[in-house]
Amino acid sequence: MPPTASPLLEPASAPLRKGELTAIRILVAAESLFAERGYAGTSLRDVAAAVGLRIPSLYNHFKSKELLYAAVLDRVVDPVLDILNGFLAAPVSERPTHAEVIGQVMALLDGHPNLPALLLQETQTGGRRLTPGLRHRLAPIFGRAFETVQATDETGRFEPDEIPLFVLALYHVIVGFHSIAPFYREVSGDDLSTPESRDRQIRFLTRMVEALFEHAPVRS
Amino acid sequence: MPPTASPLLEPASAPLRKGELTAIRILVAAESLFAERGYAGTSLRDVAAAVGLRIPSLYNHFKSKELLYAAVLDRVVDPVLDILNGFLAAPVSERPTHAEVIGQVMALLDGHPNLPALLLQETQTGGRRLTPGLRHRLAPIFGRAFETVQATDETGRFEPDEIPLFVLALYHVIVGFHSIAPFYREVSGDDLSTPESRDRQIRFLTRMVEALFEHAPVRS
DNA sequence: TTGACGAGCGATCGATCGTTAGTTTCAATT
DNA sequence: AATTGAAACTAACGATCGATCGCTCGTCAA
């Protein structure tokens, strides 16, 4: 039992164990590298060098490269799923405006800059390296997102079988915006990662979502 | 000079050179592998095995792995950029409907199933492996897309500095739809790659684009 | 003081990476 | 039939991959 914390406060207070801190340093360094170069493109030598350790020391904290990657993914995705669940679980009566939701999601991604790249790489490989625990959390979140969008589309512009496509489209617009920034800067010269660009994207997303939820005019 | 074709018809008729055909077989196999596993995740052994050759034979046609990858990318992206240029160069008077454009783009992607994955991987790495010739073709295409969207947004729902975000958003929705299919099937059970799903996506995209270009109501 | 243990390291493993050299096969041309 | 060149092969290279072995510290409890 750690001597620095009372048993009751232990989970809330700092963990403070010596090697536990090293594990976190490894996770932080590996997160950036995996996000930038992908799983196959990142070697344990890169990770060890970024942390300032030798390779064998990594194995004191993670049993294999695959498990290190899984730990990185869990550590990043899990808290975001929690927050997302909070958004989607809010009762309809307290539903925030489109602008508020978009602002919160964008702020969430600001706090987790590696998340979009990691998500894209994982979805692109069919989620083959996804932790089982993580995978089983996704389906209900998708389902809740479907219900929320369906309830928000009061005028019924979109048919029920288009709702999942709507959710996927929003996901791709948001995640894609962040992950294409380096490429877009390369080809156009404009930097999408500045605060001004971020605000512009929030403005655009708000207008776009409002347009999609506006009353549909008579069909021809 | 090849003996089978007249000099004038030579570029249009079949090339038919012996090793030229092998090079194409290599390109086809490498394209699928690079799209599925990425550059770092694909070994020349995988490529050779897929073609039915030994590794050194690959070097009779491509001087290195990097050049093979560049050739794969050029071969896939170049004709698509040509077609896209044709779309965007059409005069305003002959502008097709939204549904027509979306249908044509989706048909284009049907003919190049590996394109979305390759594009995503390339944009995610900042286009670091992009051929110079290919890179310089992108900026004018983006520019033309901006002009087209700007001209189509007759009611001025979006401000000029939001037009690039609009183009990027459409790009991400379309490309993301194709590349997330395996993952979405894994987590939800639904297959987005069936013809029915494709048609549903076309229907959704059309409704979405129409909504974005509808007359904006009075702002509050 | 001592013994157990967490956590770092150097050395090294077999496997695989991209790449090259040298040789053989074989069809087309002389 | 002899020649030749492209294109396939076998064999092997050094470098790097993920992973494991002992060893050595420091810390802390007994």
Side-chain angles (χ1 to χ4, degrees), chain B residues 42-45 55-56 59 65:
Chain B
T42 303
S43 71
L44 293 183
R45 282 157 181 79
I55 302 173
Y59 285 86
K65 184 188 180 184

Side-chain angles (χ1 to χ4, degrees), chain B residues 7 9 12 29-30 32 39 65 72 96 105 110-111 118 129 143 147 166 174 181 201 204-205 218:
Chain B
L9 289 182
S32 296
Y39 178 81
K65 184 188 180 184
V72 165
V105 170
D110 277 350
L118 290 171
R129 272 182 248 277
E147 296 169 8
F166 192 132
I174 294 172
Q201 172 75 352
F204 164 73
L205 281 174
V218 287

Side-chain angles (χ1 to χ4, degrees), chain B residues 11 20 32 38 53 76 109-111 115 135 166 172:
Chain B
E20 199 84 19
S32 296
L53 289 178
V76 181
L109 291 182
D110 277 350
L115 182 59
R135 179 186 284 113
F166 192 132
H172 286 131

Side-chain angles (χ1 to χ4, degrees), chain A residues 19 22 53-54 56-57 60-61:
Chain A
T22 306
L53 289 177
R54 313 304 138 189
S57 303
N60 287 330
H61 306 273

Side-chain angles (χ1 to χ4, degrees), chain B residues 84 87-88 94-108 148 152 170 174 202 205-206 209:
Chain B
L84 227 57
F87 286 175
L88 296 171
E94 305 173 6
R95 194 190 306 159
T97 66
H98 301 150
E100 286 169 352
V101 172
I102 290 169
Q104 286 176 351
V105 170
M106 291 288 285
L108 186 61
T148 302
T152 310
L170 274 182
I174 294 172
I202 291 181
L205 281 174
T206 305
V209 170

Side-chain angles (χ1 to χ4, degrees), chain A residues 27-185:
Chain A
L27 287 171
V28 170
E31 178 187 318
S32 297
L33 290 171
F34 282 139
E36 288 174 14
R37 317 180 187 179
Y39 178 82
T42 303
S43 70
L44 293 183
R45 280 155 185 78
D46 298 333
V47 177
V51 184
L53 289 177
R54 313 304 138 189
I55 301 174
S57 303
L58 302 181
Y59 284 88
N60 287 330
H61 306 273
F62 303 95
K63 305 189 83 175
S64 73
K65 185 188 180 185
E66 293 235 16
L67 289 178
L68 168 60
Y69 178 80
V72 165
L73 211 61
D74 272 29
R75 180 170 176 273
V76 181
V77 175
D78 224 59
V80 173
L81 290 190
D82 286 339
I83 299 177
L84 228 57
N85 247 332
F87 286 175
L88 296 170
V92 183
S93 59
E94 306 174 5
R95 195 189 303 158
T97 67
H98 300 150
E100 286 169 352
V101 171
I102 290 169
Q104 287 175 352
V105 170
M106 291 288 283
L108 187 62
L109 291 182
D110 278 350
H112 299 76
N114 291 319
L115 182 59
L118 290 171
L119 283 179
L120 263 180
Q121 286 170 8
E122 203 50 38
T123 56
Q124 228 166 339
T125 60
R128 212 165 301 131
R129 271 183 249 277
L130 220 57
T131 287
L134 213 55
R135 178 185 287 112
H136 290 114
R137 291 196 61 188
L138 292 177
I141 290 184
F142 267 94
R144 243 172 276 197
F146 296 162
E147 296 169 7
T148 302
V149 169
Q150 180 107 51
T152 309
D153 183 26
E154 295 164 348
T155 67
R157 175 192 295 273
F158 297 98
E159 301 184 18
D161 64 351
E162 294 170 346
I163 300 297
L165 302 180
F166 192 134
V167 173
L168 285 181
L170 275 182
Y171 167 81
H172 285 131
V173 170
I174 294 173
V175 169
F177 170 80
H178 287 84
S179 63
I180 209 175
F183 176 82
Y184 189 75
R185 178 188 175 86

